[in-house]
Amino acid sequence: MTTPTSESQLSTRQRSLSTYEGWTDFAERPARGRPEPLTRDQLDGMSRQDRAVYDLERRVWHANILLRTRQVEDIELQLADILDSNLQDSDRVKSAAAIDAPPALGKSTVVNNFGRVFHQQRIAETGEWLDQDRDVRHLPVCHVTLTGRLTIKGLHMMILGFYAHPATAGILHRSMAGRDLARAAAECIERHDTRLVIVDDLHFLNMRTRDGVEVANQLKWLANEYNATFLFAGVALRARGLVGEGHTGQEAAMAQTFRRWTVLGLSPFTLTHKRAREEWDRLLFGIEQALVLTDARPGMLVDLSRYLFARSTGNIGSLMDLIRRGASRAIRTGREVIDRELLDDIRIDEGAETERRELEAKLEQQVRNQKARRRRQNKDDEAAAA
């Protein structure tokens, strides 16, 4: 029999990670427990109410499956190195990090979960409060998500908004100069002993506008001035001029960034060589192990390796959407297994759907070519033996 799911695990309330309440909820939430797999007889023998609770528990679990690939592990190691190296004294210039990758490869997931682990580590080291009277909360991580047409004042307001600073309420901020807002933001970071500042969606900065260049330069200054490590995430940061090297004009303004930021990347999976195929199959096996479906079987996803690659184009975001929706439908329809017939009827993002047919044809041709090569090799071996 399944264990009833806690209210916190099924809660539909979603707080923004760009507020300290939302971030703390995310960072300190207990890990979800994997629902107990049941046999078909056990499943069919449940009461209607117990079955509804169990199915909901499984759908929530599948919607929140989190896998750590080798790429993610490598990035986490690099980020931990950067944070440790930034324990230097205040007179030293601190390094910043940026994750630059195409859309839907899990940038936000990587930085958020790294921040979550760092939050838990710092709380364990220092505690939840920074004073004996429990007036000053320890907030090891500040998280902000940028929006379009951002100004310097807007940037500081977002940082202050994370800490629920009074300057963000009413009309007070309208009378405050930009330098006062910057000072207030710096004081929040220092007061709450924030050591990691996550800035997501950095690609919204438009380096072709004056505001975009000013905000980029301000971020560079903040990364130098704050006693915290900045971690940026965005799409095509190099192509957008946010990470580059130059000698004149706007390029010169970003040249120091090129030397002070460590840029890390995420890439789609490929099937171009044996090691890449093994890594893809290892990912599918990991997903298999996480799924809770009554009629699931070993190799359920690995046997669909090339099909799943074609459906997702090697993009982990597209793959996980397909598997999550497939698992949900398998539960709702009572099929309790994921197979090609079920997945064929599920649509995912337009990018994957557009490239699907072309990639399927390409992979099928590769299989035919491999079979033809093996047949020729066998004939040559037979002729040599004769």
Side-chain angles (χ1 to χ4, degrees):
M1 184 63 64
T2 181
T3 302
T5 304
S6 67
E7 183 180 349
S8 63
Q9 288 182 321
L10 295 182
S11 174
T12 58
R13 184 179 183 184
Q14 298 288 337
R15 293 184 177 183
S16 170
L17 295 187
S18 292
T19 65
Y20 82 86
E21 300 100 329
W23 177 265
T24 302
D25 285 349
F26 165 75
E28 299 180 359
R29 182 177 59 220
R32 287 185 172 84
R34 182 173 182 264
E36 178 187 352
L38 301 180
T39 66
R40 174 60 71 171
D41 288 342
Q42 288 175 318
L43 193 68
D44 292 342
M46 299 178 78
S47 69
R48 182 176 181 180
Q49 182 176 2
D50 286 345
R51 175 67 179 269
V53 171
Y54 179 61
D55 286 352
L56 175 58
E57 182 183 17
R58 290 190 294 163
R59 294 201 306 273
V60 171
W61 168 257
H62 291 148
N64 291 279
I65 290 175
L66 180 64
L67 297 173
R68 297 175 68 251
T69 65
R70 183 174 298 175
Q71 282 193 88
V72 171
E73 291 174 351
D74 289 344
I75 286 178
E76 289 175 346
L77 283 173
Q78 297 282 357
L79 294 177
D81 291 341
I82 293 169
L83 278 164
D84 283 346
S85 69
N86 281 346
L87 292 173
Q88 56 201 355
D89 294 335
S90 59
D91 62 321
R92 308 289 181 87
V93 175
K94 289 179 171 55
S95 299
I99 297 181
D100 184 7
L105 289 185
K107 295 180 299 300
S108 296
T109 301
V110 170
V111 298
N112 291 343
N113 282 284
F114 178 80
R116 180 180 185 176
V117 171
F118 180 75
H119 175 105
Q120 294 171 352
Q121 174 189 328
R122 288 291 297 156
I123 293 296
E125 292 170 349
T126 309
E128 296 182 13
W129 302 92
L130 297 174
D131 64 330
Q132 293 183 348
D133 296 330
R134 298 169 64 90
D135 289 329
V136 182
R137 181 185 289 271
H138 185 196
L139 299 174
V141 178
C142 171
H143 179 287
V144 296
T145 302
L146 301 190
T147 59
R149 302 184 66 178
L150 185 67
T151 64
I152 291 179
K153 187 172 184 178
L155 171 65
H156 294 310
M157 286 295 294
M158 294 183 78
I159 295 174
L160 291 170
F162 176 86
Y163 295 97
H165 191 278
T168 61
I171 62 173
L172 178 60
H173 67 275
R174 298 179 185 176
S175 61
M176 295 180 66
R179 62 180 178 275
D180 295 327
L181 291 172
R183 187 180 301 111
E187 288 173 353
C188 282
I189 288 177
E190 181 179 359
R191 173 179 172 81
H192 294 282
D193 194 25
T194 300
R195 298 297 181 88
L196 177 65
V197 179
I198 296 174
V199 181
D200 204 357
D201 287 346
L202 187 62
H203 51 267
F204 277 122
L205 286 188
N206 186 351
M207 295 302 292
R208 296 185 179 88
T209 67
R210 178 179 176 182
D211 283 340
V213 174
E214 288 180 347
V215 171
N217 287 333
Q218 187 76 358
L219 285 171
K220 179 183 64 178
W221 177 81
L222 295 177
N224 294 337
E225 292 296 315
Y226 287 1
N227 187 30
T229 298
F230 273 68
L231 172 55
F232 304 99
V235 176
L237 302 184
R238 287 186 176 90
R240 295 173 187 273
L242 287 160
V243 181
E245 183 174 26
H247 303 287
T248 61
Q250 179 179 310
E251 293 181 350
M254 299 308 296
Q256 288 185 334
T257 298
F258 188 79
R259 293 296 180 183
R260 293 176 182 172
W261 288 16
T262 299
V263 183
L264 308 169
L266 288 166
S267 303
F269 286 85
T270 71
L271 300 182
T272 55
H273 54 276
K274 182 179 179 180
R275 184 176 178 182
R277 292 191 293 272
E278 290 174 348
E279 184 71 16
W280 177 252
D281 287 348
R282 191 158 38 245
L283 171 67
L284 297 180
F285 178 76
I287 299 174
E288 272 186 24
Q289 298 298 106
L291 294 175
V292 185
L293 297 172
T294 296
D295 294 333
R297 59 174 180 80
M300 178 177 65
L301 299 184
V302 176
D303 291 347
L304 297 174
S305 177
R306 287 181 176 270
Y307 169 79
L308 291 172
F309 185 85
R311 286 298 310 270
S312 64
T313 63
N315 186 305
I316 191 170
S318 301
L319 173 69
M320 293 309 298
D321 277 346
L322 180 63
I323 298 301
R324 290 185 185 109
R325 296 176 192 183
S328 176
R329 183 174 295 191
I331 291 171
R332 287 185 286 106
T333 60
R335 294 180 63 136
E336 293 293 332
V337 68
I338 292 179
D339 54 28
R340 180 164 181 167
E341 181 183 1
L342 180 141
L343 296 178
D344 267 339
D345 197 36
I346 295 176
R347 287 189 62 86
I348 51 176
D349 61 275
E350 194 62 22
E353 294 293 347
T354 300
E355 298 179 30
R356 170 185 175 184
R357 299 305 177 189
E358 180 181 350
L359 188 52
E360 281 180 330
K362 182 178 178 180
L363 292 174
E364 289 172 1
Q365 184 61 48
Q366 289 177 355
V367 172
R368 288 194 292 269
N369 292 342
Q370 290 172 357
K371 290 180 178 179
R373 285 194 296 270
R374 283 196 293 268
R375 285 195 296 268
R376 288 195 298 269
Q377 185 63 48
N378 291 338
K379 289 181 179 180
D380 292 343
D381 292 343
E382 292 173 0

